[in-house]
Amino acid sequence: MFKKRSDAGYRQVLPGIRQKTLVHGDKTLMVEFLLDKGALLPQHSHPHEQTGYLVSGRIRLDIGGNKEEILAGDSWCIAGGAEHNAEILEDSVAIEVFSPVREEYLPEP
């Protein structure tokens, strides 16, 4: 499967947080997040393993009480079921991959 770059298809999921599924297969799903400075991703968990890469910006990520300031070029992995949250310190772009596929992130037909 190939997907060409497009500015369309972003969804506002929380104030200051927009996401778009870039591509997905049977076992993985890749999402781009556009994150505005000052936005907060509240504490949550889900059964999906989540790996991420910060393309640009700066965020503070808390995974199970382990807090780290993430800079452009840094990456992370969040185990399925782990509590996590984030504070957006600068306008940022993040790419994350989820496994298994998050059904609620699948593009609408």
Side-chain angles (χ1 to χ4, degrees):
M1 171 188 283
F2 296 98
K3 257 324 241 290
K4 295 293 187 177
R5 184 191 179 288
S6 169
D7 290 330
Y10 290 92
R11 292 187 264 180
Q12 185 87 27
V13 292
L14 290 166
I17 300 177
R18 296 174 306 280
Q19 65 99 181
K20 174 172 79 169
T21 296
L22 299 174
V23 69
H24 64 88
D26 292 333
K27 298 178 182 172
T28 61
L29 178 131
M30 183 185 302
V31 178
E32 181 179 47
F33 288 92
L34 304 180
L35 308 161
D36 296 339
K37 180 180 178 177
L40 298 173
L41 180 66
Q43 185 86 357
H44 68 286
S45 68
H46 44 74
H48 312 83
E49 183 174 75
Q50 175 179 347
T51 57
Y53 175 80
L54 194 63
V55 176
S56 64
R58 185 169 60 102
I59 67 175
R60 183 171 297 113
L61 187 57
D62 179 339
I63 303 172
N66 184 12
K67 297 178 185 177
E68 187 74 31
E69 188 169 309
I70 305 297
L71 305 175
D74 293 346
S75 55
W76 57 90
C77 183
I78 304 171
E83 293 281 335
H84 56 286
N85 64 73
E87 177 185 358
I88 312 312
L89 304 174
E90 296 176 1
D91 288 350
S92 301
V93 176
I95 302 293
E96 294 192 297
V97 175
F98 296 88
S99 180
V101 170
R102 288 190 70 160
E103 298 291 328
E104 71 272 27
Y105 282 5
L106 287 173
E108 295 180 16

